[in-house]
Amino acid sequence: MSKSTRDAFGESLLEVGESNKKIVVVSCDLSGATRTKAFGKKFPDRFFEVGIAEQNGISVAAGLAMEGFRPFISSFGAFITGRYDQIRISCAYTKAPVVIVGTHAGLAIGKDGATQMGIEDINKMSGIPGMQIFQPADAIETKQIIEYLSKNNELAYLRLSRQPQETVHKPDYIFEFNKGKVLKEGKDLTIIATGDTVQSSLQSAEELAKKGIDLDVINISTLKPIDKELILEYAKKRPGIITVEDHSIIGGLGSRVCEIIAEAGLKTKVKRLGINDCFGESGKPEDLYRKHGLDKEGIIKSIKEFSENL
Amino acid sequence: MNLTDVALEIRRRTLKSLYSAQSGHPGPSLSIVEMLSTLFFKEMNIKGEERDRFILSKGHAAASFYAVLSILGHISEDQLLTLREMGSPLQGHPVKGTLPLVDASTGSLGQGLSIGIGYALGIKLKGQDRRVYVIIGDGESQEGQIWEAAMAAPKFKLGNLLVIVDYNKYQNDGAVKDIMPLDPLADKWKSFGWHVQEVDGHDMDALTEAYQNARKERDKPSVIVANTMKGKGISFMEGEMSWHSKAMKPEEYESAMNELGVKPDE
């Protein structure tokens, strides 16, 4: 089954919106692309279209949160996190618990190009005190995260993808806040991945197993706070960890893993796979992934080199 | 207490705390005193859960807002003297959660009006009769977000929203007309679809009447462009740019308090 996490979000929002009347949506003219349109059709009184004015939208959402509602505001990740001070002050410092949804994560969006791609969004949001950060790996996880967010009342950033993704979790998967999920147990090295890259990490691990490299694959879907315990558990067991994200290698999953390992004084070597401090560009998603080594073959190549140089 | 007495007391307590802190914004705090007096002691419903909302979007004027809160009994006279000290609820710019009646953490200009719209929308959705009051600055009106908000409020027919622009004509580095002119300011708001009034921001009767007129607008948000003077109430501060953000020397403090009818050791 293949579904984008933005689609899963839209469907799930409709479901939770039915039972939780406090949920409201602030839209910035991207309700179609960010899949909040169906909510708007079903609950027009709880849907506030502010147009292409994200600064206003974010602070409006904060006001709604402080009046007792549970607001979701969505736009492309690049744009919404780009209105940084409103998130930092209207939401975080003011303690107004809004769910900020940033879709169109990473290179994977393809042809629209650099300006539309959320590449530094996790980095931006990570530095904000009190911000929880989530990135689901598939539709199953997305729905559970939405259910979780509809019940808790914390400030959160939810990073979603545009393109359909394969299911990586079993049907009985239960999302746990701040708990990474070991999807495959190996014995040589560990891949820690997030979001869209989890599926390609699993595919790479499957192929490398035939070549005698037995990898663990871990999905981290809560990026802030982060499951230090699990990361350290595997850092102690293995000589090397590879992190994979469709995000800059600066300030995202890879950076967090490095911080944790270094502070614990471990000797585990880390290879960060992601976007190497540059902008994206237009192109077919598969071409872009190939160029940045984020496709299955690219990941395999990087892991082989990493393994040989340990 | 009549409103004139209240305004005088607000000024006294504003200067007391600013002098103690030796840091803060006397000019901008003093220009809004009549607005605060009329809003908190006449216009707004400030009691209970179903009270009106108030946002001091130009958060650097915190000192006079805190003076109001102390008159209302939420801050002791001793606490007033802890303005800007580490650990004091009287932070340099108001912080929601530290004191009653603080509905937003402001200080990063341009955001408070949007937050006010969020409150107004929530109140309307609940079908309640409460109102939202936001004081914004003229320098602050250079922030693009103010105009995003100005576009939005009429769209949502927020008759429960009242904005007051503290048009004191000066900002951090100079006169508004030299930094980035705003005129014709009232016309701008009118063209965005607001109910607009221009008043002398130190005339409390005029302000009170303007609030009443605003209440009659059920489907339009209202804005009052209040012509004010920075440092109003202290002769050597009035219209003096340097008092935007400056500490008072002892003799300046004594002189100012004298003008407000307060003896030095009170």
Side-chain angles (χ1 to χ4, degrees):
Chain A
M1 199 251 309
S2 185
K3 185 183 273 192
S4 67
T5 53
R6 63 169 169 157
D7 278 324
F9 160 65
E11 290 165 15
S12 183
L13 188 63
L14 207 49
E15 283 164 23
V16 297
E18 188 69 62
S19 49
N20 184 349
K21 304 290 185 208
K22 292 205 156 107
I23 293 179
V24 295
V25 167
V26 177
S27 174
C28 303
D29 193 37
L30 281 171
S31 70
T34 64
R35 307 303 198 234
T36 58
K37 202 173 198 166
F39 182 99
K41 268 213 169 92
K42 189 129 196 243
F43 310 110
D45 292 341
R46 290 153 59 189
F47 181 86
F48 303 102
E49 178 63 71
V50 297
I52 312 173
E54 298 81 10
Q55 292 177 117
N56 184 45
I58 290 163
S59 302
V60 165
L64 283 161
M66 294 190 284
E67 238 336 293
F69 292 94
R70 182 58 167 157
F72 283 69
I73 180 170
S74 67
S75 181
F76 288 9
F79 306 142
I80 199 110
T81 62
R83 282 37 174 187
Y84 187 83
D85 200 50
Q86 282 72 23
I87 296 174
R88 171 182 170 251
I89 300 299
S90 284
C91 297
Y93 187 54
T94 302
K95 292 203 172 63
V98 174
V99 180
I100 299 163
V101 182
T103 68
H104 291 64
L107 295 166
I109 73 162
K111 297 194 171 185
D112 268 354
T115 58
Q116 321 288 297
M117 295 170 172
I119 294 198
E120 316 88 14
D121 46 332
I122 300 173
N123 182 21
K124 282 185 265 180
M125 295 295 95
S126 293
I128 297 179
M131 173 71 77
Q132 295 180 349
I133 301 174
F134 302 93
Q135 183 172 213
D138 61 14
I140 295 176
E141 190 163 46
T142 306
K143 293 207 168 191
Q144 295 191 31
I145 289 177
I146 294 299
E147 275 156 26
Y148 174 81
L149 288 172
S150 72
K151 294 198 194 92
N152 91 345
N153 215 34
E154 303 289 339
L155 175 63
Y157 177 63
L158 174 62
R159 187 176 200 248
L160 302 174
S161 304
R162 171 184 179 268
Q163 67 288 355
Q165 291 168 210
E166 295 301 324
T167 303
V168 299
H169 294 103
K170 297 207 178 67
D172 63 354
Y173 170 66
I174 293 181
F175 164 77
E176 272 184 272
F177 171 70
N178 197 18
K179 290 262 177 278
K181 181 74 177 169
V182 181
L183 294 172
K184 178 186 176 295
E185 184 75 31
K187 57 176 172 41
D188 298 323
L189 301 167
T190 308
I191 301 178
I192 304 180
T194 182
D196 172 72
T197 58
V198 173
Q199 60 181 352
S200 40
S201 297
L202 283 168
Q203 289 161 9
S204 312
E206 208 183 303
E207 258 200 49
L208 281 166
K210 302 176 196 155
K211 306 235 163 80
I213 304 182
D214 191 4
L215 296 148
D216 318 295
V217 180
I218 296 177
N219 168 33
I220 294 281
S221 53
T222 307
L223 289 151
K224 186 182 186 184
I226 199 165
D227 194 348
K228 282 192 180 135
E229 246 176 60
L230 186 66
I231 291 167
L232 284 172
E233 182 191 330
Y234 280 79
K236 286 177 186 151
K237 283 200 280 203
R238 313 284 183 241
I241 293 185
I242 304 100
T243 62
V244 195
E245 55 198 312
D246 190 356
H247 180 273
S248 171
I249 58 171
I250 297 173
L253 173 66
S255 291
R256 291 295 93 67
V257 168
C258 287
E259 287 161 13
I260 290 165
I261 291 175
E263 281 192 325
L266 300 176
K267 293 222 176 74
T268 326
K269 209 154 176 218
V270 179
K271 172 71 186 166
R272 290 173 293 158
L273 296 182
I275 298 148
N276 197 353
D277 192 21
C278 61
F279 288 103
E281 61 188 300
S282 288
K284 290 202 202 108
E286 52 268 30
D287 290 342
L288 294 170
Y289 264 28
R290 192 173 311 117
K291 178 172 176 176
H292 291 262
L294 285 174
D295 61 334
K296 184 182 74 174
E297 285 74 29
I299 295 174
I300 288 171
K301 182 163 182 276
S302 295
I303 294 177
K304 274 207 195 129
E305 270 169 31
F306 180 59
S307 169
E308 278 154 29
N309 289 316
L310 274 173
Chain B
M1 268 206 287
N2 69 44
L3 293 177
T4 311
D5 290 340
V6 171
L8 184 59
E9 191 56 30
I10 294 173
R11 287 197 160 88
R12 285 173 183 155
R13 297 188 189 205
T14 299
L15 291 187
K16 242 187 185 144
S17 62
L18 284 170
Y19 180 63
S20 174
Q22 283 293 296
S23 156
H25 301 78
S29 301
L30 289 170
S31 57
I32 63 168
V33 169
E34 281 73 23
M35 287 171 218
L36 292 174
S37 176
T38 49
L39 286 175
F40 280 89
F41 296 90
K42 188 154 188 184
E43 169 67 5
M44 295 189 336
N45 170 22
I46 55 173
K47 295 245 145 59
E49 287 275 309
E50 308 243 320
R51 61 175 177 79
D52 294 334
R53 295 285 187 188
F54 171 76
I55 296 171
L56 181 64
S57 190
K58 47 166 282 181
H60 53 286
S64 47
F65 182 27
Y66 294 150
V68 166
L69 295 179
S70 84
I71 296 171
L72 290 170
H74 297 301
I75 301 175
S76 73
E77 294 239 25
D78 281 342
Q79 264 190 314
L80 262 185
L81 303 177
T82 67
L83 172 67
R84 291 175 161 231
E85 275 175 32
M86 192 175 84
S88 168
L90 282 67
Q91 293 282 293
H93 298 71
V95 179
K96 183 175 141 285
T98 56
L99 295 161
L101 301 179
V102 180
D103 285 324
S105 301
T106 51
S108 181
L109 298 175
Q111 300 184 31
L113 176 51
S114 300
I115 295 176
I117 289 176
Y119 274 128
L121 287 170
I123 288 169
K124 217 174 174 200
L125 189 54
K126 291 184 199 172
Q128 291 172 340
D129 216 1
R130 301 150 57 206
R131 293 178 63 72
V132 180
Y133 298 83
V134 185
I135 295 180
I136 69 175
D138 46 13
E140 178 176 24
S141 300
Q142 291 154 358
E143 283 282 358
Q145 186 178 357
I146 292 287
W147 301 99
E148 290 184 14
M151 276 192 283
K155 179 206 173 179
F156 295 112
K157 298 186 158 52
L158 296 176
N160 57 355
L161 177 65
L162 174 61
V163 175
I164 307 174
V165 184
D166 178 27
Y167 203 8
N168 62 29
K169 313 293 186 309
Y170 286 87
Q171 52 190 112
N172 236 321
D173 284 349
V176 172
K177 67 169 166 51
D178 296 327
I179 302 289
M180 182 53 66
L182 291 173
D183 284 335
L185 186 56
D187 287 345
K188 286 187 166 93
W189 287 95
K190 214 169 281 165
S191 71
F192 275 64
W194 290 62
H195 173 256
V196 183
Q197 299 175 85
E198 288 179 85
V199 302
D200 171 354
H202 300 298
D203 179 344
M204 290 193 279
D205 290 331
L207 282 168
T208 308
E209 193 186 322
Y211 303 153
Q212 293 317 308
N213 294 337
R215 276 181 185 265
K216 295 186 192 130
E217 294 296 321
R218 310 296 290 174
D219 288 328
K220 257 185 182 185
S222 295
V223 61
I224 295 172
V225 177
N227 290 301
T228 54
M229 195 179 289
K230 227 161 176 161
K232 178 76 176 179
I234 305 299
S235 62
F236 58 87
M237 288 188 186
E238 286 183 1
E240 256 311 302
M241 226 192 74
S242 61
W243 286 104
H244 173 79
S245 157
K246 195 162 72 150
M248 283 169 270
K249 297 199 193 77
E251 56 275 16
E252 288 167 331
Y253 179 61
E254 198 180 312
S255 171
M257 292 306 261
N258 242 327
E259 288 187 25
L260 298 177
V262 180
K263 294 196 189 68
D265 50 0
E266 268 178 61

